[in-house]
Amino acid sequence: MKRSRELLMGLALCGLSAWAAAEVSPVRSMAAACANCHGTEGFAQTGMDTLAGQAKDALLKKLLDFKTGAKPATVMHQLSKGYSDAQLEELAGYFAAQKK
Amino acid sequence: MKRRQFVRTVGAVSALGAVGTLGLVAGCATTGTGSGSRVVVVGGGYGGATAAKYVRMWSDGGIQVTLVEPNASFISCPISNLVLGGSKTMADITTPYDNLVRRHGVKLVRDTVVAIDADKRLVRLAGGTELPYDRLILSPGVDFMWETLPGMARPGAQDKVLHSWKAGAQTVALRQQLEAMRDGGVYALSIPLAPYRCPPGPYERACQVAHYFSKAKPKSKVLILDANDDVTSKGPLFKKAWADRYKDIIEYRPKHTVTDVDAATNTLKFEFANDLKADVLNVIPAMRAGDIALKSGLATANKRWCEVDFLTFEAKAAKNIHVLGDATQSAPAMPKSGHMANQHGKTCAAAVVSLLTGKTPNDSPIYANTCYSFVSDTDVVHVASVHRYDAAQKTMVTVAGAGGVSAAASQLEGQYALAWARNIWADTLA
């Protein structure tokens, strides 16, 4: 008990908000799997499309079109099929929210 | 912060024990999250460097990260076959670790780990230093099972018969051997039984050497001696490339297991075939998890690969020690690739940040693999797969209906492959 009171004090000193901030949400982890090709947080190096900051609806439409085959692709038709439509929507929302 | 979450955080902090109250309070000075926690990463390849960067990034700089790596720069295995083919240079595949240090605050220690004390939670370095950790991330890569090729223990054998399966000095040396070879000579490449690092890599290498021969010494041959029953990755695409582009240069012989090498006479010995002499021998020996993982008792699968919990990459054999990349006992259909190691690095980083801040790691990771292979200096084929965690089987499985291979080799994919390299290098190191 004494120990946990010390811990509480420690936390109070640190400020609780700092502890709450370190949240690697599942969607952030999921989006990190796109970074190998589209850059960290969707900011790409030359030769790949930057996803960060594109409109959510536009991103989602492209992803769904890759999945159905409506949009021609070398690899995205194969990768997008690995995700549910709901996951693709989450990904689109995540990248749309990334701003420089 | 909700009360329940708060209690959980406090509980987890107590569980850290050694760090305890003092560590926690002391950690306040640096602010951020997971403050005062120490992560040591061993090995700055695709897995380790990515993990180091992402632990810093995802803890908002709150967790201290020390990367132990003997080299000043990262040299990429992917694209290194193009150095053998002559269309890329070593400089093209080399990236210094500077950005990890400058931009992400990773502490780089140029040394190697000689021992892990799991009870005291510290690693001992060759230089004598001891580094304490709360969580250790090992990305030791592979080492070779030289005991399977007795002749390679003779003095000088390993300097003459190269593997070039770790990009660096051997990449340069093999290129020199190819340049020095007479026109009309034979280059013999031997491939071990799967699993090995980079399944399509040997077949890409055969294409690259054949491409070089076709331009510079067209009477020469590439002989592929594969211990496997057939090409282990992108078989139809590689066979088409060999038939269409290198018909008179490449010969493929499956089911050829090398049992010994006589470096003095450049001779290969096989299980079921006659001895074979060539001008340049390139022997890729069977491989296993890196030495430090074996020495530390982490290679629980056949004393060869490290079994891990795919939610956290914590080793089955030891608490607080995570293992990444090629050294792991792979999940079904999960290749030992740089792309995959980068994904391991992020999944592990997310879990480590969660664990050190008292949260529950993500219970449903999902990520992809893509391996691009150059069949010439410009044309590329790929294989892709999507992998998700299966709670019932407690491992990663491929998502049915996703993934696949290229329809045909193309220059467009050649451009994407180089863009992939730029992006994954930046994602791993910048």
PDB file of all heavy atoms in Angstrom, chain B residues 133-152:
ATOM      1  N   TYR B 133      18.400  -3.129 -19.118  1.00  0.00           N
ATOM      2  CA  TYR B 133      17.188  -2.900 -19.916  1.00  0.00           C
ATOM      3  C   TYR B 133      15.938  -3.281 -19.136  1.00  0.00           C
ATOM      4  O   TYR B 133      15.994  -4.094 -18.214  1.00  0.00           O
ATOM      5  CB  TYR B 133      17.237  -3.714 -21.220  1.00  0.00           C
ATOM      6  CG  TYR B 133      17.260  -5.225 -21.014  1.00  0.00           C
ATOM      7  CD1 TYR B 133      16.089  -5.937 -20.765  1.00  0.00           C
ATOM      8  CD2 TYR B 133      18.455  -5.933 -21.086  1.00  0.00           C
ATOM      9  CE1 TYR B 133      16.105  -7.319 -20.582  1.00  0.00           C
ATOM     10  CE2 TYR B 133      18.484  -7.316 -20.902  1.00  0.00           C
ATOM     11  CZ  TYR B 133      17.304  -8.003 -20.641  1.00  0.00           C
ATOM     12  OH  TYR B 133      17.318  -9.364 -20.453  1.00  0.00           O
ATOM     13  N   ASP B 134      14.828  -2.658 -19.493  1.00  0.00           N
ATOM     14  CA  ASP B 134      13.522  -3.146 -19.040  1.00  0.00           C
ATOM     15  C   ASP B 134      12.971  -4.141 -20.049  1.00  0.00           C
ATOM     16  O   ASP B 134      12.344  -5.115 -19.693  1.00  0.00           O
ATOM     17  CB  ASP B 134      12.566  -1.969 -18.853  1.00  0.00           C
ATOM     18  CG  ASP B 134      13.077  -1.036 -17.758  1.00  0.00           C
ATOM     19  OD1 ASP B 134      13.316  -1.523 -16.640  1.00  0.00           O
ATOM     20  OD2 ASP B 134      13.278   0.159 -18.051  1.00  0.00           O
ATOM     21  N   ARG B 135      13.208  -3.825 -21.347  1.00  0.00           N
ATOM     22  CA  ARG B 135      12.858  -4.781 -22.401  1.00  0.00           C
ATOM     23  C   ARG B 135      13.994  -4.802 -23.406  1.00  0.00           C
ATOM     24  O   ARG B 135      14.518  -3.760 -23.797  1.00  0.00           O
ATOM     25  CB  ARG B 135      11.547  -4.402 -23.086  1.00  0.00           C
ATOM     26  CG  ARG B 135      10.375  -4.508 -22.120  1.00  0.00           C
ATOM     27  CD  ARG B 135       9.138  -5.113 -22.747  1.00  0.00           C
ATOM     28  NE  ARG B 135       8.221  -5.518 -21.689  1.00  0.00           N
ATOM     29  CZ  ARG B 135       7.763  -6.769 -21.547  1.00  0.00           C
ATOM     30  NH1 ARG B 135       8.122  -7.710 -22.373  1.00  0.00           N
ATOM     31  NH2 ARG B 135       6.942  -7.055 -20.572  1.00  0.00           N
ATOM     32  N   LEU B 136      14.349  -6.004 -23.831  1.00  0.00           N
ATOM     33  CA  LEU B 136      15.438  -6.190 -24.789  1.00  0.00           C
ATOM     34  C   LEU B 136      14.826  -6.626 -26.115  1.00  0.00           C
ATOM     35  O   LEU B 136      13.982  -7.526 -26.152  1.00  0.00           O
ATOM     36  CB  LEU B 136      16.387  -7.271 -24.261  1.00  0.00           C
ATOM     37  CG  LEU B 136      17.556  -7.680 -25.166  1.00  0.00           C
ATOM     38  CD1 LEU B 136      18.520  -6.512 -25.387  1.00  0.00           C
ATOM     39  CD2 LEU B 136      18.319  -8.858 -24.534  1.00  0.00           C
ATOM     40  N   ILE B 137      15.236  -5.983 -27.194  1.00  0.00           N
ATOM     41  CA  ILE B 137      14.764  -6.371 -28.527  1.00  0.00           C
ATOM     42  C   ILE B 137      15.960  -6.874 -29.327  1.00  0.00           C
ATOM     43  O   ILE B 137      16.866  -6.103 -29.627  1.00  0.00           O
ATOM     44  CB  ILE B 137      14.075  -5.185 -29.245  1.00  0.00           C
ATOM     45  CG1 ILE B 137      12.878  -4.686 -28.407  1.00  0.00           C
ATOM     46  CG2 ILE B 137      13.637  -5.603 -30.647  1.00  0.00           C
ATOM     47  CD1 ILE B 137      12.169  -3.463 -29.004  1.00  0.00           C
ATOM     48  N   LEU B 138      15.956  -8.162 -29.630  1.00  0.00           N
ATOM     49  CA  LEU B 138      17.064  -8.776 -30.365  1.00  0.00           C
ATOM     50  C   LEU B 138      16.665  -8.934 -31.816  1.00  0.00           C
ATOM     51  O   LEU B 138      15.657  -9.560 -32.121  1.00  0.00           O
ATOM     52  CB  LEU B 138      17.333 -10.186 -29.849  1.00  0.00           C
ATOM     53  CG  LEU B 138      18.187 -10.427 -28.616  1.00  0.00           C
ATOM     54  CD1 LEU B 138      18.422 -11.932 -28.510  1.00  0.00           C
ATOM     55  CD2 LEU B 138      19.487  -9.688 -28.686  1.00  0.00           C
ATOM     56  N   SER B 139      17.486  -8.373 -32.699  1.00  0.00           N
ATOM     57  CA  SER B 139      17.254  -8.573 -34.128  1.00  0.00           C
ATOM     58  C   SER B 139      18.572  -9.060 -34.711  1.00  0.00           C
ATOM     59  O   SER B 139      19.286  -8.329 -35.391  1.00  0.00           O
ATOM     60  CB  SER B 139      16.786  -7.258 -34.753  1.00  0.00           C
ATOM     61  OG  SER B 139      16.238  -7.479 -36.013  1.00  0.00           O
ATOM     62  N   PRO B 140      18.930 -10.296 -34.380  1.00  0.00           N
ATOM     63  CA  PRO B 140      20.294 -10.774 -34.623  1.00  0.00           C
ATOM     64  C   PRO B 140      20.543 -11.276 -36.028  1.00  0.00           C
ATOM     65  O   PRO B 140      21.676 -11.639 -36.351  1.00  0.00           O
ATOM     66  CB  PRO B 140      20.426 -11.927 -33.627  1.00  0.00           C
ATOM     67  CG  PRO B 140      19.046 -12.502 -33.553  1.00  0.00           C
ATOM     68  CD  PRO B 140      18.094 -11.336 -33.746  1.00  0.00           C
ATOM     69  N   GLY B 141      19.508 -11.317 -36.874  1.00  0.00           N
ATOM     70  CA  GLY B 141      19.692 -11.843 -38.222  1.00  0.00           C
ATOM     71  C   GLY B 141      20.083 -13.304 -38.188  1.00  0.00           C
ATOM     72  O   GLY B 141      19.722 -14.026 -37.254  1.00  0.00           O
ATOM     73  N   VAL B 142      20.809 -13.728 -39.245  1.00  0.00           N
ATOM     74  CA  VAL B 142      21.171 -15.143 -39.341  1.00  0.00           C
ATOM     75  C   VAL B 142      22.685 -15.312 -39.222  1.00  0.00           C
ATOM     76  O   VAL B 142      23.449 -14.384 -39.482  1.00  0.00           O
ATOM     77  CB  VAL B 142      20.717 -15.745 -40.695  1.00  0.00           C
ATOM     78  CG1 VAL B 142      19.203 -15.808 -40.774  1.00  0.00           C
ATOM     79  CG2 VAL B 142      21.296 -14.970 -41.870  1.00  0.00           C
ATOM     80  N   ASP B 143      23.093 -16.501 -38.805  1.00  0.00           N
ATOM     81  CA  ASP B 143      24.474 -16.940 -38.955  1.00  0.00           C
ATOM     82  C   ASP B 143      24.449 -18.286 -39.664  1.00  0.00           C
ATOM     83  O   ASP B 143      23.389 -18.921 -39.766  1.00  0.00           O
ATOM     84  CB  ASP B 143      25.190 -17.002 -37.596  1.00  0.00           C
ATOM     85  CG  ASP B 143      25.726 -15.624 -37.200  1.00  0.00           C
ATOM     86  OD1 ASP B 143      26.436 -15.016 -38.026  1.00  0.00           O
ATOM     87  OD2 ASP B 143      25.411 -15.138 -36.098  1.00  0.00           O
ATOM     88  N   PHE B 144      25.612 -18.681 -40.189  1.00  0.00           N
ATOM     89  CA  PHE B 144      25.652 -19.859 -41.063  1.00  0.00           C
ATOM     90  C   PHE B 144      25.991 -21.131 -40.306  1.00  0.00           C
ATOM     91  O   PHE B 144      26.728 -21.108 -39.334  1.00  0.00           O
ATOM     92  CB  PHE B 144      26.652 -19.625 -42.197  1.00  0.00           C
ATOM     93  CG  PHE B 144      26.259 -18.450 -43.047  1.00  0.00           C
ATOM     94  CD1 PHE B 144      26.965 -17.264 -42.981  1.00  0.00           C
ATOM     95  CD2 PHE B 144      25.151 -18.523 -43.872  1.00  0.00           C
ATOM     96  CE1 PHE B 144      26.576 -16.163 -43.739  1.00  0.00           C
ATOM     97  CE2 PHE B 144      24.752 -17.428 -44.634  1.00  0.00           C
ATOM     98  CZ  PHE B 144      25.472 -16.253 -44.565  1.00  0.00           C
ATOM     99  N   MET B 145      25.436 -22.246 -40.777  1.00  0.00           N
ATOM    100  CA  MET B 145      25.694 -23.554 -40.168  1.00  0.00           C
ATOM    101  C   MET B 145      26.904 -24.164 -40.870  1.00  0.00           C
ATOM    102  O   MET B 145      26.784 -25.123 -41.647  1.00  0.00           O
ATOM    103  CB  MET B 145      24.436 -24.430 -40.295  1.00  0.00           C
ATOM    104  CG  MET B 145      23.270 -23.823 -39.500  1.00  0.00           C
ATOM    105  SD  MET B 145      21.635 -24.432 -39.965  1.00  0.00           S
ATOM    106  CE  MET B 145      21.674 -26.064 -39.237  1.00  0.00           C
ATOM    107  N   TRP B 146      28.059 -23.606 -40.585  1.00  0.00           N
ATOM    108  CA  TRP B 146      29.296 -24.039 -41.256  1.00  0.00           C
ATOM    109  C   TRP B 146      29.587 -25.505 -41.013  1.00  0.00           C
ATOM    110  O   TRP B 146      30.263 -26.155 -41.805  1.00  0.00           O
ATOM    111  CB  TRP B 146      30.478 -23.181 -40.783  1.00  0.00           C
ATOM    112  CG  TRP B 146      30.403 -21.766 -41.249  1.00  0.00           C
ATOM    113  CD1 TRP B 146      30.280 -20.640 -40.475  1.00  0.00           C
ATOM    114  CD2 TRP B 146      30.451 -21.304 -42.597  1.00  0.00           C
ATOM    115  NE1 TRP B 146      30.243 -19.510 -41.257  1.00  0.00           N
ATOM    116  CE2 TRP B 146      30.345 -19.886 -42.565  1.00  0.00           C
ATOM    117  CE3 TRP B 146      30.560 -21.931 -43.844  1.00  0.00           C
ATOM    118  CZ2 TRP B 146      30.354 -19.097 -43.712  1.00  0.00           C
ATOM    119  CZ3 TRP B 146      30.575 -21.144 -44.992  1.00  0.00           C
ATOM    120  CH2 TRP B 146      30.463 -19.741 -44.923  1.00  0.00           C
ATOM    121  N   GLU B 147      29.065 -26.029 -39.888  1.00  0.00           N
ATOM    122  CA  GLU B 147      29.332 -27.440 -39.566  1.00  0.00           C
ATOM    123  C   GLU B 147      28.766 -28.378 -40.644  1.00  0.00           C
ATOM    124  O   GLU B 147      29.182 -29.536 -40.733  1.00  0.00           O
ATOM    125  CB  GLU B 147      28.764 -27.780 -38.178  1.00  0.00           C
ATOM    126  CG  GLU B 147      27.235 -27.746 -38.047  1.00  0.00           C
ATOM    127  CD  GLU B 147      26.644 -26.351 -37.813  1.00  0.00           C
ATOM    128  OE1 GLU B 147      27.386 -25.347 -37.969  1.00  0.00           O
ATOM    129  OE2 GLU B 147      25.444 -26.262 -37.478  1.00  0.00           O
ATOM    130  N   THR B 148      27.851 -27.863 -41.481  1.00  0.00           N
ATOM    131  CA  THR B 148      27.295 -28.722 -42.540  1.00  0.00           C
ATOM    132  C   THR B 148      28.234 -28.798 -43.757  1.00  0.00           C
ATOM    133  O   THR B 148      27.974 -29.564 -44.687  1.00  0.00           O
ATOM    134  CB  THR B 148      25.913 -28.199 -43.015  1.00  0.00           C
ATOM    135  OG1 THR B 148      26.085 -26.877 -43.557  1.00  0.00           O
ATOM    136  CG2 THR B 148      24.911 -28.141 -41.862  1.00  0.00           C
ATOM    137  N   LEU B 149      29.285 -27.962 -43.766  1.00  0.00           N
ATOM    138  CA  LEU B 149      30.245 -27.941 -44.879  1.00  0.00           C
ATOM    139  C   LEU B 149      31.660 -27.980 -44.298  1.00  0.00           C
ATOM    140  O   LEU B 149      32.332 -26.943 -44.207  1.00  0.00           O
ATOM    141  CB  LEU B 149      30.063 -26.663 -45.717  1.00  0.00           C
ATOM    142  CG  LEU B 149      28.678 -26.412 -46.317  1.00  0.00           C
ATOM    143  CD1 LEU B 149      28.578 -25.007 -46.886  1.00  0.00           C
ATOM    144  CD2 LEU B 149      28.364 -27.453 -47.394  1.00  0.00           C
ATOM    145  N   PRO B 150      32.151 -29.182 -43.924  1.00  0.00           N
ATOM    146  CA  PRO B 150      33.406 -29.274 -43.172  1.00  0.00           C
ATOM    147  C   PRO B 150      34.589 -28.560 -43.843  1.00  0.00           C
ATOM    148  O   PRO B 150      35.391 -27.926 -43.161  1.00  0.00           O
ATOM    149  CB  PRO B 150      33.656 -30.783 -43.074  1.00  0.00           C
ATOM    150  CG  PRO B 150      32.330 -31.428 -43.333  1.00  0.00           C
ATOM    151  CD  PRO B 150      31.529 -30.478 -44.158  1.00  0.00           C
ATOM    152  N   GLY B 151      34.660 -28.660 -45.164  1.00  0.00           N
ATOM    153  CA  GLY B 151      35.795 -28.076 -45.874  1.00  0.00           C
ATOM    154  C   GLY B 151      35.890 -26.561 -45.718  1.00  0.00           C
ATOM    155  O   GLY B 151      36.961 -25.974 -45.916  1.00  0.00           O
ATOM    156  N   MET B 152      34.779 -25.923 -45.386  1.00  0.00           N
ATOM    157  CA  MET B 152      34.785 -24.467 -45.262  1.00  0.00           C
ATOM    158  C   MET B 152      35.496 -24.007 -43.990  1.00  0.00           C
ATOM    159  O   MET B 152      35.692 -22.816 -43.789  1.00  0.00           O
ATOM    160  CB  MET B 152      33.352 -23.928 -45.308  1.00  0.00           C
ATOM    161  CG  MET B 152      32.684 -24.049 -46.669  1.00  0.00           C
ATOM    162  SD  MET B 152      33.572 -23.195 -47.999  1.00  0.00           S
ATOM    163  CE  MET B 152      33.204 -21.481 -47.610  1.00  0.00           C
TER     164      MET B 152
END
